[in-house]
Amino acid sequence: MRNTRTSAIFLIFLVSLLVFSIISATAQEEQLSSNKPTINVGIYVISIGNFEFTKGTYVLDFYLMFQWENQNISPINFEFMNGRATSKEKIYDIRTNISSEVWYRVQASLFITPEFNKYPFDSQDLKIIIEDSTYNISTFTYKPMTNVLGVDPQFRIAGWKIQSYTTNVSNHVYPWDEEYSQLTYTIKLERDAGLTAAKLLLPPIIFCIVSGLSFFFKADKITHRLGLGTSMLISAVMFHLSQTSSLPPLPSLILIDKIMIAVYAFLASSLFATTLIYIDDEYWKDVDYTKTVNRLGGVITIILPFLVFGLLYFI
């Protein structure tokens, strides 16, 4: 019994010692982190040029401001991790024994990995990623400034609008056991939904409407029905190719592909109903069957694209 109590007391002592060690290490780490010098960073974007969302390339013109207090460090050796600065002009530099502040006017050619999953209603994140090329995280860390952060009201991209802009700081670890403070400024762009819908969705809708008119033709107008359906199918295929030809090869279906496949289902269903009517008119001569096929074919043709799109969208 005594040995059992002794073992329990010893176990409790070890657990307490372990918990104390963890708390002490965490407190020490937080203290070191709080004592680590920080460099305040502010970014104000003025304009954008040469934005090609299919390639993910763009040129940003912006003000970059650094503010710090420790005179043993300097942020002037910054570099862009997602591109290169084509021009970098120091427009303001004041340093005292208390604090220092440096402003740059920068024009940088940058790039991102574009997202196409929701094209043509996609959104893109334009990023400015900054690291210091000299000092790692043991020397200083970046800290975003909220009062020097934003996008100029004259910042415009045709067909896009600014949804938000944010700044975050993270630690970038390299394979050679070095860790650097990394600041990422992100401008989230989204397409103008009204303009996009009018430009990219109106043609497929018109293809379906024109093809759907064939259900109002009489059975003896089968040639006109076939001509109308096949011409709309060819037009849909050409439109689909024109919308995706500028995109890089993608491993999966994107939103425009799913929309066009639903359109193909509508056009194919219309042609299939027309073919059945043609066979009946030529061989079976059953008027009631023709009317039934025409009526049910119209209903199925309307419902089928929604089922196809829903299936593709959720898988």
Side-chain angles (χ1 to χ4, degrees):
M1 187 70 177
R2 182 177 298 177
N3 292 334
T4 303
R5 290 180 179 177
T6 303
S7 300
I9 294 173
F10 182 72
L11 181 61
I12 294 173
F13 174 76
L14 289 179
V15 172
S16 302
L17 183 62
L18 179 61
V19 172
F20 178 77
S21 301
I22 294 175
I23 294 175
S24 300
T26 303
Q28 185 177 6
E29 183 177 353
E30 290 179 353
Q31 183 178 4
L32 290 174
S33 177
S34 62
N35 293 332
K36 188 181 301 182
T38 60
I39 293 181
N40 300 317
V41 183
I43 296 177
Y44 188 80
V45 179
I46 305 172
S47 63
I48 183 173
N50 300 331
F51 177 50
E52 297 185 22
F53 82 96
T54 57
K55 298 179 181 179
T57 59
Y58 51 97
V59 177
L60 286 182
D61 193 354
F62 56 95
Y63 291 112
L64 177 62
M65 191 267 275
F66 296 104
Q67 187 181 66
W68 70 101
E69 297 180 355
N70 192 318
Q71 302 306 307
N72 296 322
I73 59 177
S74 175
I76 62 174
N77 295 317
F78 65 92
E79 60 181 348
F80 298 101
M81 308 310 295
N82 62 324
R84 287 291 183 269
T86 55
S87 66
K88 182 172 63 174
E89 178 186 0
K90 186 185 293 185
I91 60 176
Y92 181 78
D93 188 349
I94 181 170
R95 308 191 186 199
T96 65
N97 294 330
I98 300 176
S99 64
S100 300
E101 187 172 315
V102 176
W103 285 74
Y104 291 93
R105 173 75 179 269
V106 180
Q107 189 175 85
S109 297
L110 307 173
F111 62 88
I112 57 170
T113 301
E115 295 289 338
F116 299 109
N117 291 334
K118 295 183 179 180
Y119 177 85
F121 295 100
D122 55 320
S123 61
Q124 304 294 337
D125 292 339
L126 306 185
K127 296 183 178 182
I128 303 173
I129 305 176
I130 299 175
E131 281 187 19
D132 195 274
S133 61
T134 304
Y135 300 112
N136 57 27
I137 198 172
S138 62
T139 305
F140 71 81
T141 59
Y142 286 129
K143 181 181 179 181
M145 300 180 62
T146 56
N147 59 329
V148 186
L149 177 68
V151 178
D152 194 89
Q154 297 182 357
F155 184 95
R156 292 288 185 273
I157 306 177
W160 299 82
K161 60 181 180 180
I162 300 175
Q163 184 181 21
S164 63
Y165 50 86
T166 57
T167 305
N168 69 286
V169 176
S170 60
N171 297 336
H172 187 193
V173 182
Y174 288 94
W176 49 89
D177 295 331
E178 277 195 301
E179 189 173 0
Y180 287 80
S181 181
Q182 184 179 93
L183 182 137
T184 303
Y185 179 86
T186 304
I187 303 175
K188 179 173 284 295
L189 300 179
E190 63 178 4
R191 291 187 185 271
D192 189 326
L195 181 63
T196 301
K199 182 179 179 181
L200 299 179
L201 296 185
L202 188 59
I205 293 174
I206 293 176
F207 298 152
C208 293
I209 292 175
V210 173
S211 178
L213 293 176
S214 63
F215 287 99
F216 297 96
F217 289 13
K218 294 182 179 179
D220 58 350
K221 303 295 184 182
I222 201 70
T223 305
H224 296 82
R225 294 185 62 158
L226 286 173
L228 196 62
T230 53
S231 62
M232 289 300 100
L233 181 59
I234 294 172
S235 298
V237 172
M238 297 303 295
F239 174 80
H240 189 187
L241 292 176
S242 68
Q243 295 301 316
T244 57
S245 59
S246 60
L247 302 180
L250 300 173
S252 60
L253 296 176
I254 58 177
L255 183 59
I256 186 65
D257 295 328
K258 298 173 183 179
I259 293 174
M260 292 310 301
I261 290 174
V263 173
Y264 296 151
F266 183 100
L267 300 175
S269 178
S270 175
L271 284 173
F272 183 72
T274 300
T275 303
L276 289 179
I277 292 173
Y278 171 75
I279 294 174
D280 177 69
D281 184 64
E282 286 291 324
Y283 302 102
W284 301 333
K285 307 297 182 180
D286 189 342
V287 178
D288 293 334
Y289 178 80
T290 299
K291 292 181 179 179
T292 302
V293 169
N294 192 60
R295 183 170 56 254
L296 291 179
V299 174
I300 294 173
T301 300
I302 293 174
I303 297 175
L304 184 61
F306 293 99
L307 295 177
V308 170
F309 179 78
L311 181 63
L312 293 174
Y313 188 82
F314 291 106
I315 62 173

